[in-house]
């Protein structure tokens, strides 16, 4: 028997033995017991099958992260080589997080947490499979890992599907057709095979719609695309499946959000795959890493979930938007190239680098005597990976749900490998310690553990907030690149003339749409200065997921900006009722955009102007008449300095020195009065904090 001490002294570790094809009997032995005690989870005994896995499929295990809700908006703007480096840390096998699944939002034109993502069908007869960045991201993931699993899920839907209602199930066939075209377009235009498709994120499901979607996919030859439902709670979808045999047949996976590592009886009775289809969403500090380490293990130990899909992939959005820095890593400065490989990357690697979708969880998994948990997986070909975590309550509280108190303390555990695993000669050892900087290790490879002279038995000493991976695989590595550039604030002087003839992405760099969709546009009616512009392209409110504003708005810049001058050429396309604005000190975005405050300078096609202290237009500082009409270009200038603000139209002062005491800082922005077509050009901002 070998004993491994804490790495602060020498080296470490080991754990886990399991049962495969009923040949292997595993137990861990605690040193404070008078005699060895074999630990078994009795609840698992009644559910385990051979091969030991809680679902009847070869796809027993997977771990994933997802991009959605505009959280990767700034990533596409990164210069090379930094953008490729970030992608390598996320997707490259045996380098960083080495993700198994990428789940993306099917853009629906609505606000979905940190911004809007454009639909491939803004209007009924419109199809464009090059909008947004999700296509690009899926291709980059596939380029690095051809075996990565791709999933799609809608949050919002374009308004035309609702036929006047804020509801996607008005015409079931039409909505199913819309989703089907996204899947077909992914393959036809980008050679991407979508593996799983969802229903409607965290909103009501329609049983008949799910059946219609399945039939339409099958009719189009997309039988291989599996359906996951309902991306909300375990109920009522689980009970509905048990009561409806056809529904039970067409749903392949039950996905629940933030399940707190537990499931419900009805979900288990369906005998379907159970996934935590959204989890984590916690600040990517060491506490966030501890949250991730705990749920990656305990989602299976407690809840039989064989996949954990964490939101979000990379914190690549303005940090002051909701859930800032709740990604696996941070990449929110494309203007400087700076990014941070946060600790959740390496916590993920403990699982993802040493397992693959299709591996089996072994029967003997569970909780350790003095806190923590362990799991073990095999590929069925002789490889074994054991993952042990001892995350404390303080170090692993996720943002949701509430985590009941538990205690973790120092302990020794002994593991015995039997059956075919008793012939394993050596286990590689990887180690993470979270918490105090002086004791902190992230994904450190230790000396391997030799078992031939120890009767396949080993003992490990476990402290609080540790993760150990013991594996027969030798492919693991802690990838690295030279340090990226230093962090820099958003440039104080920034301009964009939008003169891009064939844009690679549909959206202008650094603009983050919060309601509406702003896209590069070629203005064939103006072959001169305004041939290439940025256009707000929605003329109908989408089927919303969040509290979208009634105006459209796209933000840009540094949230800390206080004194600034914003200038932009604007073009109102809607006669009489149309209107546009430029703004500064905008203090809210994302799901809070409707209540955004700031200084907003509006002009309208009816020949009026307005200055408001909020996006909704309730706080009015000034109003009056100006020489403005639709179908004509104007230059708006907004000047905010200290407690005073002024505005100009075509270089002439319209209003001057109006007091503005709140807010004291915020982003710059452009937008429209309603969901209407309008164009913007020659954007320019000069700012100081």
């Amino acid at each position: 028997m070998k004993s491994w001490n804490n790495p602060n002294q020498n080296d470490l570790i080991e754990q886990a033995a399991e049962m495969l094809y009923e040949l292997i009997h595993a137990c861990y032995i605690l040193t404070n017991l008078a005699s060895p005690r074999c630990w078994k989870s009795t609840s698992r005994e009644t559910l385990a099958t051979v091969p030991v896995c809680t679902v009847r499929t070869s796809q027993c295990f997977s771990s994933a992260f997802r991009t959605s809700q505009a959280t990767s908006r700034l990533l596409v703007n990164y210069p090379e080589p930094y953008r490729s480096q970030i992608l390598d840390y996320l997707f490259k096998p045996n380098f960083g997080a080495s993700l198994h699944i990428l789940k993306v939002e099917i853009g629906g034109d609505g606000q979905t947490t940190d911004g809007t993502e454009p639909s491939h069908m803004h209007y009924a007869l419109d199809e464009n499979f090059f909008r947004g960045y999700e296509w690009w991201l899926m291709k980059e993931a596939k380029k690095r890992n051809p075996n990565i699993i791709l999933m799609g899920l809608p949050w919002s839907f374009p308004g035309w599907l609702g036929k006047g209602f804020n509801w996607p199930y008005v015409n079931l066939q039409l909505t199913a057709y819309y989703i089907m075209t996204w899947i077909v377009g992914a393959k036809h235009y980008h050679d991407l095979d979508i593996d799983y498709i969802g229903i409607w994120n965290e909103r009501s499901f329609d049983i008949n719609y799910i059946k219609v979607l399945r039939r339409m996919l099958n009719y189009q030859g997309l039988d291989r695309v599996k359906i996951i439902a309902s991306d909300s709670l375990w109920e009522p979808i689980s009970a509905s499946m048990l009561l409806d045999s056809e529904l039970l047949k067409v749903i392949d996976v039950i996905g629940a959000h933030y399940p707190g590592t537990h499931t419900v009886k009805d979900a288990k009775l369906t005998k379907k795959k159970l996934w935590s289809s959204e989890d984590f969403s916690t600040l990517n500090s060491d506490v966030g890493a501890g949250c991730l380490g705990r749920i990656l293990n305990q989602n299976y130990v407690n809840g039989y979930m064989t996949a954990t899909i964490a939101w979000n992939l990379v914190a690549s959005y303005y940090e002051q938007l909701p859930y800032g820095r709740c990604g696996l890593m941070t990449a929110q400065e494309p203007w400087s190239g700076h990014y941070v490989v946060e600790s959740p990357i390496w916590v993920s690697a403990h699982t993802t680098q040493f397992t693959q979708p299709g591996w089996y969880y072994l029967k003997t998994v569970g909780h350790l005597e003095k806190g923590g948990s362990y799991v073990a997986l095999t590929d069925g070909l002789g490889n074994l990976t054991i993952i042990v975590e001892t995350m404390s309550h303080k170090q692993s509280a996720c943002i949701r749900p509430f985590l009941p108190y538990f205690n973790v303390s120092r302990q020794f555990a002994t593991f015995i490998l039997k059956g075919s695993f008793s012939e394993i000669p050596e286990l590689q050892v990887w180690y993470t310690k979270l918490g105090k900087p002086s004791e902190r290790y992230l994904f450190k490879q230790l000396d391997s553990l030799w078992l031939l002279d120890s009767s396949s038995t080993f003992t490990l000493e476990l402290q609080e907030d540790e993760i150990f991976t013991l594996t027969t695989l030798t492919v693991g590595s802690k990838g690295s690149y030279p340090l990226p550039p230093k962090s820099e604030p958003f440039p104080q002087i920034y301009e964009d003339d939008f003169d891009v003839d064939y844009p690679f992405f549909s959206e202008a760099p650094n603009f983050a749409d919060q309601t509406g969709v702003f896209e590069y546009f070629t203005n064939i009616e103006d072959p001169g200065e305004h041939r290439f512009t940025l256009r707000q392209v929605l003329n109908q409110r989408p089927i919303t997921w969040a509290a979208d504003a009634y105006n459209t708005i796209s933000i840009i810049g540094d949230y800390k900006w206080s004194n600034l001058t914003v200038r932009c050429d604007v073009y109102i396309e809607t006669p009489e009722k149309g209107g546009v604005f430029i703004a500064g000190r905008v203090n809210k975005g994302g799901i809070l955009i409707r209540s955004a405050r700031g200084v907003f300078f509006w002009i309208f096609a009816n020949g009026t102007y307005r200055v408001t202290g909020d996006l909704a237009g309730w706080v009015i500082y000034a109003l009056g008449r100006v020489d403005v009409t639709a179908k004509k270009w104007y230059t708006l200038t907004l000047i905010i300095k200290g407690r005073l603000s002024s505005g100009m139209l075509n270089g002439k002062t319209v209003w001057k020195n109006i007091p503005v005491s709140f807010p004291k800082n915020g982003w710059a922005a452009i937008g429209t009065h309603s969901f209407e077509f309008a164009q913007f050009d020659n954007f320019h901002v000069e700012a100081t904090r």
Side-chain angles (χ1 to χ4, degrees), residues 60-78:
C60 284
F61 167 78
S62 55
S63 178
F65 288 78
R66 87 167 183 219
T67 175
S68 57
Q69 300 154 284
T71 54
S72 300
R73 176 66 192 90
L74 298 176
L75 177 60
V76 298
N77 305 334
Y78 265 80

Side-chain angles (χ1 to χ4, degrees), residues 198-345:
I199 306 305
W200 189 12
N201 182 71
E202 295 176 350
R203 295 295 181 264
S204 300
F205 62 89
D206 183 289
I207 291 175
N208 290 325
Y209 167 72
I210 298 173
K211 297 175 182 177
V212 167
L213 177 62
R214 179 72 271 165
R215 288 196 292 270
M216 185 168 291
L217 293 177
N218 292 348
Y219 181 77
Q220 293 294 328
L222 298 171
D223 310 61
R224 59 171 182 75
V225 179
K226 297 178 175 62
I227 291 178
I228 178 171
S230 65
D231 280 293
S232 186
L233 304 176
W234 293 117
E235 298 289 12
I237 188 65
S238 299
S240 299
M241 293 169 66
L242 293 175
L243 294 172
D244 187 326
S245 60
E246 183 183 355
L247 183 67
L248 181 67
K249 181 179 179 181
V250 301
I251 293 176
D252 300 279
V253 178
I254 303 177
H257 287 193
Y258 306 97
T261 75
H262 293 280
T263 187
V264 298
K265 181 180 179 181
D266 281 352
K268 290 180 283 187
L269 288 174
T270 66
K271 294 182 170 57
K272 295 288 184 175
K273 292 181 183 180
L274 306 180
W275 287 5
S276 175
S277 55
E278 182 176 320
D279 221 325
F280 180 57
S281 72
T282 302
L283 185 71
N284 56 23
S285 63
D286 273 11
V287 173
C291 156
L292 183 60
R294 177 175 56 82
I295 64 176
L296 281 175
N297 263 24
Q298 295 192 26
N299 274 346
Y300 182 77
V301 171
N302 299 335
Y304 317 102
M305 287 164 269
T306 55
T308 295
I309 301 178
W311 184 81
N312 59 64
L313 175 74
V314 53
S316 201
Y317 48 101
Y318 291 115
E319 186 171 343
Q320 293 79 13
L321 288 169
Y323 304 100
R325 280 188 53 207
C326 286
L328 201 59
M329 61 183 292
T330 303
Q332 57 193 21
E333 292 185 19
W335 48 87
S336 71
H338 178 74
Y339 64 85
V340 182
V341 184
E342 310 281 7
S343 50
I345 284 279

Side-chain angles (χ1 to χ4, degrees), residues 175-186:
T175 300
Y177 171 80
Y178 168 78
I179 295 298
M180 181 273 295
T181 60
W182 185 85
I183 299 172
V184 172

